[in-house]
Amino acid sequence: MRELTYAQAISEATVQCMAADPSVFVAGQNVDDEKGTHGTTREAFEAFGPSRVIDVPNAENAFAGIALGTAAAGMRPLVVHTRADFMLLAMDSVINLASKWRYVYGDPAGVPLVMRGVVGRGWGQGATHSQSLQSVFGHFPGLRVATPATPADAKGLIISALQGRDPVVLLENRGLYSLKGEVPEEAVPVPFGRGRVARRGDDVTIVAASLMAHEAERAADLLADVGVSAEVLDPRSVRPLDGGLIMSSVARTGHLVVADTSWAPFGFSAEVAAIVAENVPGALRSPVVRVTPPDCPAPVSFPLEEAFHPDAERIARACLTALRLDASEFRTPRPITAGFSGPF
Amino acid sequence: MRELTYAQAISEATVQCMAADPSVFVAGQNVDDEKGTHGTTREAFEAFGPSRVIDVPNAENAFAGIALGTAAAGMRPLVVHTRADFMLLAMDSVINLASKWRYVYGDPAGVPLVMRGVVGRGWGQGATHSQSLQSVFGHFPGLRVATPATPADAKGLIISALQGRDPVVLLENRGLYSLKGEVPEEAVPVPFGRGRVARRGDDVTIVAASLMAHEAERAADLLADVGVSAEVLDPRSVRPLDGGLIMSSVARTGHLVVADTSWAPFGFSAEVAAIVAENVPGALRSPVVRVTPPDCPAPVSFPLEEAFHPDAERIARACLTALRLDASEFRTPRPITAGFSGPF
Amino acid sequence: MTPLMRMLREMVRIRTVETALAELYRDKQEMRTPTHFSVGQEATAVGVCSALRPDDRVYSGHRSHAPYLAKGGDLHAMVAELHGKRTGCAGGRGGSMHLIDPKVGFMAASILGETIAVGTGTAWASVMRGSDEVTAVFFGDGAAEEGVFHESLNFAALHNLPVLLVCENNGYSITSPLTARQPRGTTVWERARGYGVSSALVDGNDVEAVHDAAVEAVRLCRRGRGPYLLELTTRRLLEHVGPHPDRDAEHGAETDVRTRSCPVVRASNALRSADLGCESPDRVVDRWRQEAEQEVRLAVEAARAAPFPSTSTLLDGVHHS
Amino acid sequence: MTPLMRMLREMVRIRTVETALAELYRDKQEMRTPTHFSVGQEATAVGVCSALRPDDRVYSGHRSHAPYLAKGGDLHAMVAELHGKRTGCAGGRGGSMHLIDPKVGFMAASILGETIAVGTGTAWASVMRGSDEVTAVFFGDGAAEEGVFHESLNFAALHNLPVLLVCENNGYSITSPLTARQPRGTTVWERARGYGVSSALVDGNDVEAVHDAAVEAVRLCRRGRGPYLLELTTRRLLEHVGPHPDRDAEHGAETDVRTRSCPVVRASNALRSADLGCESPDRVVDRWRQEAEQEVRLAVEAARAAPFPSTSTLLDGVHHS
Ligand SMILES: Cc1ncc(C[n+]2csc(CCOP(=O)(O)OP(=O)(O)O)c2C)c(N)n1
Ligand SMILES: Cc1ncc(C[n+]2csc(CCOP(=O)(O)OP(=O)(O)O)c2C)c(N)n1
Ligand SMILES: [Mg+2]
Ligand SMILES: [Mg+2]
């Protein structure tokens, strides 16, 4: 199969959905410019022009409601936020209206409002440009929340979103845009709620979404060097969350490490741990370990930023802790600088 | 000790803090009217007048920022939201600015912005007037998030908030306002992060915040009838959360039920389960049981609403499940209609 | 029937329905949903909706009954919704603040200002789809303080969207008077001008004036010269939420003013017996009232008799399956 | 020195500092923080801040260096902040978009519009505390589209708050021109009038005009007749974020216009040698530039030499202990 970058996969999914369905349109700040949201909206603009790839004013709250209104009237908006953090301005429309619409109004048509949010990463993005909001959106019934880790899933999950009838939040870590992978040419949806086994293994289960799935795979490489076989599970969507996949893996390995870019408290890592504690607590042969950012806002300063973001090494060490193995002679991996390098 | 209602306790705390510190002021929609936010702001208005108890326009987002600005300039705003749901309009100011201020700006003075949010309950409040947002606010470092269950704690936690230097979210379930309890006359702060043993017991640990602490106590009564001794823990604040108290109780009882008014996924119940799975998983002799609203928005229709809200009976049955005891001859308790009765 | 007669009849109908519901709401306590009546404000809904086509859309905020009925929303489905019944327009799940009737293009939401954006969106969709449908959005003076009002107005004006923004200015946000919330000497309609939006201030208790202004506004919107903002001054006669007479009015000794300005009284006075053939206006209005009483009685009976939704459906319909 | 001379010197200083930083930002890649330079927009910051007292407060958005420096913010602390160093004004944690200097009452935030509300709040606090301090808030034409602008303006006008809202209209929001975002024929300053707020449109590249307008606006605010909104038209010469020349300008063949309207060039031309004694304007400006070059060189050296914050402090200061 041919390879695409994550950004190209998003772009291709968008173009294919727009070609197949004239009600799909793209809207967001600067989506029509040359950079085209990290190259994800440029092709669509070239193919369909400014009437279907639409630059919008800075008005996140109203625009979520406006897009919702178009969806209520039969359109399929794909709204792009250049930072997921800006979606905090749109919480009312998204949580109080979009997520509840279908249920509260008993409206079987629903409102297929699809929102992409870019999670900033690296180059001092700082506290307000790098937040991963999967745990917040994941809390609310009525939403679908996806965190694609691979180009194929980025494509397939956008297709599911744009073919479905539910409001969807897609969170894309900016560190992933240049990542390459095989992507089917056709528009094949990836269903929500079905996780992916990124790596098979027997000794410990690592659950990790989005960028963390890759760090977990690198951790699995490091662990392989010391004879530990780690299984890496990528949930692909956090709402619905594929609990079955997690439980059956943990039932086999007996050890669970969860790695996530959102904070531990009330976070994705809490939910995964809870699912296990609730269903197969007896399977756990060691405490669950959560590998998450420390409990502080993201700092800008380079060494602090590096210390802030969880990475392969921390995940691998967490696995060794879970397995009660000695981490002292464990080699420290070369740090990868995620995706982007400056200047801005 | 003399008894006060929950509403009176809030009122007293407010008046005492305003008397002690001229920089404290109260602001919110209709705080100055006769009803005075369920009787919690009326005394303050009478004592200090409209210059310190201030009605504001409908502008939740800006007003959070405006209040923050006054805090940055040495004032101590106590902002009242008649429904916590409306705070979703203020998420940008609260999450992107208030919670991060002290850390991101390295500003030791911080911004003591205190926000009260009323959680609606009963009489068909519905999907957008009854959300408990502790799990959302609890996710973000930099905030204090309190969920007082008793009049004494309502008073003490507000005092802590208004004497401290951190942004604080206080969530008050409307079902609690008429509840009576002993309250110290003096202004004694209740610290954040220290849970309360609402009921001692040996067989099972129930962790429950706010209104659920009372349902849990009622559940403990029901359980006592069938010979089960339940321990009820009320965390009082969910950020910081008193993990130690929970762990030592579960270490003793071996069984954990978490009851909460917020949804299970990525919720308070997930975090409590995760803390145990992370620290003392061996202590669990049965799976954790989460008693939460079902995974749907809150419906208005009376029977659906009753089925939606978790109550004593569901908590008690969950405990029996955890203990693998037969629930068949368990008596169904008389439903209490929480607090409010109509018409509006 | 003259347009005025049709509008008066609709106002009488809405007044009668709401008055009946308000009493039952208070006495029977079977409608367990916070309910905001439009008693005293009927002319805004009726005057505007009578200027719309059936395929036009209408949105409102929490004070939704009058626009719902004026747009042609199903009365039985509304009353059942207030009773939380399965036959309700939202299956009993939404209650008074979430009325919907897709057949007539109506929907209401509870959070201030939300539907200003949604209606702007449906108006945008009309343009995208090449249809000439117009969307009208009802909201209060209080909702106009929310940022979403500004953001939506800016967007609607930027794209010349066919959205008619109807600000029902009743002078209060719950118990808070306008003077506590908006700068003295300013108005919502003038603020709209700052976005290049055409606007007008109209006596919202004069149903003919409202209608005429709405006809012109809708005409402009339909021709691609929208948006348009109408500020309609009015008074509510009951309290903000619930069935009791408005206390602010009583305290403020405004009762007289309010009654005199009552849109139903005023439209009745405006009716000449000439229009009515041999009947006197009072008798005609009385007959309409009786018809509406009968209509609401049947709707209430049906709602009471209807089943509650089964708790087994509690989780149904959160997602598209 | 005349006021114009003082302002020109400050503009030359800011231009020199930012130009030097922009080059280092591009070449050295030691400042790892998204950075929005104000090159071309110096007159807004300098004209307004020169009308303020030291105890007045200034807020800005993401484009923060010029207002920070114009208000008297510590240059060394700023440069260290951009380098992420412990000696930075925010300890290296905030970066370019979160500059702060409490000693001179300055603070900046990264999310559009946030500080419009915060500044409105500090102005309110001044009133509450009976002080006559004024708060000025800098924000862009893009930020004026956010609902918080409307909500804050409404509140500031309602309470006559001493807040000076300074809209730096550079015609762009990142790459998006004003025409794609705001209704044609409308302006931010006229919109303010809808709230009863006094406002003025001023050529933001004419530092004297900005200064004079700001003096008047501040005078009114200080006397309790605020708020006031100044819309200042200007141009940025570098791209939105980062050190390269603005491509939209190049493509649009606007470069000439931009250079001719450059506020530093214009203020230099306005200087009469009379004001300068025997020196020629060029020589004077050159001397100021050299002084600033020296100043920034030292600041950069100090920033480079300064330690990074220790990772052991990663968790410090989230809460009040
Ligand atoms: C965002 C938000 N804030 C507050 C409320 C609570 N609330 C419900 S109705 C209302 C009054 C609104 O006044 P107005 O818009 O003038 O409508 P009216 O009730 O006068 O018809 C308020 C404050 C709400 N529903 N949503
Ligand atoms: C709420 C929000 N939305 C989007 C952004 C991304 N963003 C940063 S700067 C900018 C452009 C703002 O334009 P303007 O306010 O005119 O300021 P300028 O950059 O032109 O000085 C945008 C869209 C943001 N920081 N905050
Ligand atoms: Mg009103
Ligand atoms: Mg700009």
Side-chain angles (χ1 to χ4, degrees):
Chain A
M1 217 185 275
R2 87 307 171 28
E3 292 207 327
L4 294 181
T5 65
Y6 189 91
Q8 286 167 336
I10 292 170
S11 176
E12 183 171 281
T14 306
V15 168
Q16 287 178 347
C17 289
M18 292 178 79
D21 183 345
S23 63
V24 176
F25 70 95
V26 176
Q29 294 157 15
N30 307 287
V31 289
D32 62 344
D33 74 9
E34 273 181 58
K35 288 183 188 163
T37 324
H38 309 283
T40 61
T41 56
R42 188 67 203 164
E43 281 177 316
F45 180 76
E46 277 160 9
F48 303 102
S51 67
R52 290 183 67 195
V53 178
I54 305 157
D55 185 21
V56 304
N58 302 301
E60 287 81 1
N61 187 25
F63 198 73
I66 290 169
L68 187 85
T70 70
M75 302 298 293
R76 287 187 170 278
L78 173 57
V79 178
V80 182
H81 291 272
T82 54
R83 285 292 175 283
D85 315 67
F86 307 155
M87 297 173 83
L88 288 171
L89 282 142
M91 292 307 269
D92 176 56
S93 309
V94 175
I95 303 302
N96 280 333
L97 199 52
S99 80
K100 299 175 175 37
W101 185 292
R102 201 169 187 286
Y103 184 86
V104 164
Y105 294 104
D107 175 18
V111 276
L113 166 64
V114 183
M115 290 157 284
R116 292 174 46 202
V118 181
V119 178
R121 168 89 185 183
W123 197 262
Q125 293 290 306
T128 59
H129 279 58
S130 62
Q131 290 169 101
S132 289
L133 297 178
Q134 57 264 35
S135 309
V136 172
F137 290 116
H139 186 51
F140 294 94
L143 291 180
R144 306 283 193 196
V145 184
T147 51
T150 66
D153 286 340
K155 178 170 178 182
L157 286 161
I158 289 197
I159 290 167
S160 274
L162 288 173
Q163 292 181 347
R165 298 218 57 84
D166 290 312
V168 178
V169 174
L170 290 146
L171 297 172
E172 305 161 5
N173 196 297
R174 200 179 69 171
L176 295 171
Y177 285 119
S178 56
L179 186 100
K180 283 198 166 173
E182 293 193 341
V183 179
E185 311 228 357
E186 318 73 52
V188 188
V190 168
F192 298 115
R194 214 165 306 151
R196 174 178 73 95
V197 182
R199 176 81 62 103
R200 298 230 166 262
D202 299 313
D203 299 336
V204 55
T205 301
I206 310 174
V207 179
S210 187
L211 186 70
M212 282 299 113
H214 299 282
E215 294 289 346
E217 286 202 66
R218 292 177 59 227
D221 288 340
L222 297 171
L223 290 164
D225 288 355
V226 294
V228 170
S229 158
E231 177 140 311
V232 177
L233 303 182
D234 164 15
R236 300 204 277 200
S237 74
V238 306
R239 175 175 269 276
L241 180 58
D242 191 346
L245 185 71
I246 296 166
M247 289 184 259
S248 62
S249 176
V250 173
R252 194 157 43 75
T253 65
H255 303 279
L256 174 63
V257 169
V258 193
D260 191 37
T261 52
S262 81
W263 290 284
F266 308 86
F268 171 74
S269 61
E271 180 58 22
V272 172
I275 284 176
V276 170
E278 192 172 44
N279 293 286
V280 288
L284 282 178
R285 279 180 277 133
S286 66
V288 173
V289 185
R290 300 199 257 177
V291 180
T292 62
D295 205 32
C296 63
V300 160
S301 177
F302 186 65
L304 296 186
E305 186 178 48
E306 292 284 292
F308 179 84
H309 292 296
D311 63 7
E313 182 182 351
R314 280 178 59 202
I315 298 169
R317 291 188 188 276
C319 292
L320 296 180
T321 304
L323 295 165
R324 290 185 197 85
L325 291 175
D326 184 16
S328 60
E329 27 167 2
F330 188 67
R331 80 181 159 88
T332 298
R334 197 166 42 84
I336 44 159
T337 305
F340 181 79
S341 78
F344 228 90
Chain B
M1 216 184 279
R2 85 311 173 20
E3 291 207 329
L4 294 182
T5 65
Y6 189 90
Q8 286 167 336
I10 292 170
S11 177
E12 182 170 283
T14 306
V15 168
Q16 288 179 345
C17 289
M18 290 178 80
D21 182 346
S23 64
V24 175
F25 70 98
V26 176
Q29 294 157 15
N30 306 287
V31 290
D32 61 346
D33 73 10
E34 274 181 56
K35 289 184 188 162
T37 324
H38 309 283
T40 60
T41 57
R42 187 69 203 163
E43 283 177 314
F45 180 75
E46 277 160 10
F48 303 104
S51 67
R52 288 182 69 193
V53 178
I54 306 158
D55 185 22
V56 304
N58 301 301
E60 287 81 359
N61 187 24
F63 197 72
I66 290 168
L68 186 84
T70 70
M75 302 300 292
R76 286 187 171 277
L78 173 56
V79 179
V80 181
H81 292 272
T82 53
R83 285 294 176 280
D85 314 68
F86 308 155
M87 298 173 83
L88 288 170
L89 282 142
M91 293 305 271
D92 177 56
S93 309
V94 176
I95 303 302
N96 280 333
L97 199 52
S99 79
K100 297 172 177 38
W101 184 294
R102 200 170 187 285
Y103 185 86
V104 164
Y105 294 103
D107 175 19
V111 276
L113 166 64
V114 183
M115 290 156 285
R116 293 175 45 203
V118 181
V119 178
R121 169 88 184 185
W123 197 262
Q125 293 290 305
T128 59
H129 280 58
S130 62
Q131 290 169 100
S132 289
L133 298 178
Q134 57 265 36
S135 310
V136 171
F137 289 117
H139 185 51
F140 293 94
L143 292 179
R144 306 282 193 198
V145 185
T147 52
T150 67
D153 286 342
K155 178 170 179 182
L157 286 161
I158 289 197
I159 291 167
S160 273
L162 288 173
Q163 292 181 348
R165 298 218 57 83
D166 290 312
V168 178
V169 174
L170 289 147
L171 297 172
E172 303 162 6
N173 196 297
R174 203 181 64 171
L176 296 170
Y177 285 120
S178 55
L179 186 101
K180 282 199 166 174
E182 293 194 342
V183 180
E185 312 228 1
E186 319 73 51
V188 187
V190 168
F192 299 114
R194 214 167 304 153
R196 174 179 73 95
V197 181
R199 177 81 60 106
R200 296 233 167 261
D202 299 314
D203 299 335
V204 55
T205 301
I206 310 175
V207 179
S210 187
L211 185 70
M212 282 299 113
H214 299 281
E215 293 289 346
E217 286 202 66
R218 291 177 60 227
D221 288 341
L222 296 171
L223 290 165
D225 288 355
V226 294
V228 171
S229 155
E231 175 139 314
V232 176
L233 303 181
D234 164 15
R236 301 204 277 200
S237 73
V238 306
R239 176 175 271 277
L241 179 59
D242 191 345
L245 185 70
I246 295 166
M247 288 185 261
S248 61
S249 175
V250 173
R252 194 157 43 76
T253 65
H255 304 278
L256 174 63
V257 169
V258 193
D260 191 37
T261 52
S262 81
W263 291 285
F266 308 89
F268 171 73
S269 61
E271 180 59 21
V272 172
I275 285 175
V276 170
E278 194 173 46
N279 293 286
V280 286
L284 283 178
R285 279 180 278 132
S286 66
V288 174
V289 185
R290 299 199 256 178
V291 181
T292 62
D295 205 32
C296 63
V300 160
S301 178
F302 187 64
L304 296 186
E305 188 179 46
E306 291 286 290
F308 180 84
H309 291 295
D311 63 6
E313 183 182 350
R314 280 178 60 200
I315 297 169
R317 289 188 188 276
C319 292
L320 296 180
T321 303
L323 294 165
R324 291 186 196 81
L325 291 174
D326 184 16
S328 59
E329 29 167 0
F330 188 65
R331 79 179 160 90
T332 296
R334 196 167 44 83
I336 45 158
T337 304
F340 181 78
S341 77
F344 229 91
Chain C
M1 266 204 278
T2 62
L4 175 61
M5 283 175 68
R6 272 198 298 273
M7 291 193 291
L8 177 57
R9 184 166 71 175
E10 187 60 23
M11 287 199 297
V12 169
R13 175 174 175 259
I14 293 172
R15 172 72 58 93
T16 308
V17 166
E18 286 221 299
T19 307
L21 291 176
E23 274 167 28
L24 291 167
Y25 183 78
R26 183 190 61 216
D27 299 338
K28 299 278 182 199
Q29 312 230 353
E30 287 175 1
M31 292 174 254
R32 276 179 272 217
T33 166
T35 296
H36 308 78
F37 293 104
S38 293
V39 173
Q41 305 190 186
E42 295 87 353
T44 54
V46 171
V48 170
C49 290
S50 61
L52 295 172
R53 290 196 320 225
D55 62 337
D56 290 334
R57 289 169 185 266
V58 169
Y59 291 88
S60 88
H62 56 287
R63 202 171 298 288
S64 59
H65 306 178
Y68 171 95
L69 292 172
K71 185 63 175 53
D74 186 298
L75 176 68
H76 278 247
M78 176 183 117
V79 176
E81 187 61 34
L82 299 183
H83 283 78
K85 295 304 178 74
R86 200 165 75 195
T87 50
C89 59
R93 280 144 165 205
S96 167
M97 292 192 283
H98 297 99
L99 298 185
I100 185 165
D101 190 339
K103 286 189 299 300
V104 301
F106 181 88
M107 179 254 175
S110 64
I111 304 285
L112 295 179
E114 267 179 358
T115 48
I116 303 177
V118 176
T120 300
T122 59
W124 196 25
S126 298
V127 174
M128 287 180 175
R129 304 177 80 100
S131 110
D132 71 345
E133 289 160 15
V134 169
T135 298
V137 186
F138 289 84
F139 57 96
D141 49 301
E145 292 148 19
E146 296 284 356
V148 70
F149 169 73
H150 157 94
E151 294 181 355
S152 301
L153 212 55
N154 185 65
F155 193 83
L158 176 68
H159 291 285
N160 298 312
L161 300 183
V163 60
L164 170 56
L165 299 166
V166 184
C167 180
E168 296 184 84
N169 183 349
N170 61 10
Y172 284 93
S173 173
I174 309 186
T175 52
S176 176
L178 210 48
T179 49
R181 297 178 285 112
Q182 295 180 27
R184 257 163 228 274
T186 71
T187 62
V188 176
W189 71 275
E190 283 170 309
R191 224 165 281 149
R193 298 278 169 96
Y195 303 86
V197 171
S198 308
S199 62
L201 176 71
V202 176
D203 179 344
N205 290 333
D206 178 344
V207 73
E208 289 186 287
V210 172
H211 175 82
D212 292 349
V215 165
E216 172 63 7
V218 169
R219 194 181 63 81
L220 289 172
C221 285
R222 214 177 298 287
R223 295 199 177 165
R225 298 185 35 213
Y228 200 101
L229 184 138
L230 275 181
E231 178 172 346
L232 308 177
T233 49
T234 182
R235 291 276 166 202
R236 61 173 158 76
L237 299 178
L238 301 186
E239 61 187 347
H240 167 69
V241 56
H244 302 291
D246 187 22
R247 284 203 288 170
D248 290 297
E250 283 173 11
H251 288 177
E254 291 183 29
T255 324
D256 262 16
V257 182
R258 292 193 188 207
T259 318
R260 260 184 287 123
S261 70
C262 167
V264 177
V265 172
R266 281 175 57 177
S268 306
N269 291 345
L271 259 199
R272 296 283 151 267
S273 6
D275 299 337
L276 305 165
C278 42
E279 277 186 303
S280 82
D282 284 358
R283 279 201 46 193
V284 174
V285 166
D286 230 57
R287 184 156 49 75
W288 289 337
R289 183 170 299 122
Q290 284 166 21
E291 283 167 19
E293 274 166 3
Q294 171 71 358
E295 198 188 353
V296 69
R297 195 178 308 120
L298 291 176
V300 169
E301 276 167 22
R304 283 197 178 150
F308 278 112
S310 155
T311 54
S312 70
T313 64
L314 182 60
L315 280 163
D316 291 357
V318 179
H319 292 289
H320 186 67
S321 61
Chain D
M1 267 206 274
T2 63
L4 175 61
M5 281 175 70
R6 270 198 297 273
M7 292 194 288
L8 175 57
R9 184 167 72 176
E10 187 59 24
M11 288 201 293
V12 168
R13 176 174 174 258
I14 293 171
R15 172 71 59 92
T16 307
V17 166
E18 285 222 297
T19 307
L21 291 177
E23 274 168 29
L24 290 167
Y25 184 77
R26 182 189 64 216
D27 298 338
K28 299 278 181 199
Q29 312 229 353
E30 286 176 2
M31 291 173 253
R32 275 178 274 214
T33 167
T35 297
H36 308 78
F37 293 103
S38 293
V39 174
Q41 305 189 187
E42 296 86 354
T44 55
V46 171
V48 170
C49 291
S50 61
L52 296 172
R53 290 196 319 224
D55 62 337
D56 291 332
R57 288 170 186 265
V58 170
Y59 292 89
S60 87
H62 56 287
R63 202 171 300 287
S64 59
H65 307 178
Y68 172 95
L69 292 172
K71 185 61 174 54
D74 186 298
L75 176 68
H76 277 248
M78 174 181 119
V79 175
E81 187 60 34
L82 299 183
H83 283 77
K85 294 303 178 74
R86 202 165 77 196
T87 49
C89 57
R93 280 145 165 203
S96 167
M97 293 193 282
H98 297 100
L99 298 185
I100 186 165
D101 191 337
K103 284 188 301 298
V104 300
F106 181 88
M107 180 255 175
S110 64
I111 304 285
L112 295 179
E114 268 179 358
T115 48
I116 301 178
V118 175
T120 300
T122 60
W124 195 25
S126 297
V127 173
M128 288 179 175
R129 304 177 79 101
S131 111
D132 71 344
E133 289 160 14
V134 169
T135 298
V137 185
F138 289 84
F139 57 96
D141 48 303
E145 292 148 18
E146 296 283 358
V148 70
F149 169 72
H150 157 93
E151 295 181 353
S152 301
L153 212 53
N154 185 64
F155 192 84
L158 177 68
H159 291 285
N160 298 313
L161 300 182
V163 58
L164 170 57
L165 298 166
V166 185
C167 180
E168 297 184 84
N169 183 349
N170 61 11
Y172 284 94
S173 174
I174 308 188
T175 53
S176 176
L178 209 49
T179 50
R181 296 178 286 112
Q182 296 180 26
R184 254 164 231 274
T186 71
T187 62
V188 175
W189 71 274
E190 283 170 307
R191 224 166 280 148
R193 298 277 170 98
Y195 303 86
V197 171
S198 307
S199 62
L201 176 71
V202 176
D203 178 345
N205 290 333
D206 178 344
V207 73
E208 290 185 287
V210 172
H211 176 82
D212 292 348
V215 165
E216 172 63 6
V218 169
R219 193 182 62 82
L220 289 171
C221 285
R222 213 175 302 284
R223 293 198 179 167
R225 302 189 29 217
Y228 200 103
L229 184 140
L230 276 180
E231 178 173 347
L232 308 176
T233 49
T234 181
R235 292 280 166 196
R236 63 173 156 76
L237 299 176
L238 301 186
E239 63 187 346
H240 168 69
V241 54
H244 302 290
D246 185 23
R247 283 201 290 170
D248 290 297
E250 282 172 12
H251 290 174
E254 289 182 28
T255 323
D256 261 18
V257 182
R258 294 195 186 206
T259 317
R260 260 184 288 123
S261 70
C262 165
V264 178
V265 172
R266 280 175 58 177
S268 305
N269 292 344
L271 258 199
R272 296 282 151 272
S273 7
D275 297 337
L276 306 166
C278 42
E279 276 186 302
S280 82
D282 284 0
R283 277 201 47 193
V284 174
V285 167
D286 230 59
R287 183 157 49 76
W288 288 337
R289 182 169 299 121
Q290 283 164 20
E291 283 166 18
E293 274 166 3
Q294 171 70 359
E295 199 187 352
V296 69
R297 195 176 310 120
L298 291 176
V300 169
E301 276 167 22
R304 283 195 175 151
F308 279 112
S310 155
T311 54
S312 70
T313 64
L314 182 59
L315 280 163
D316 291 358
V318 179
H319 294 289
H320 188 68
S321 61

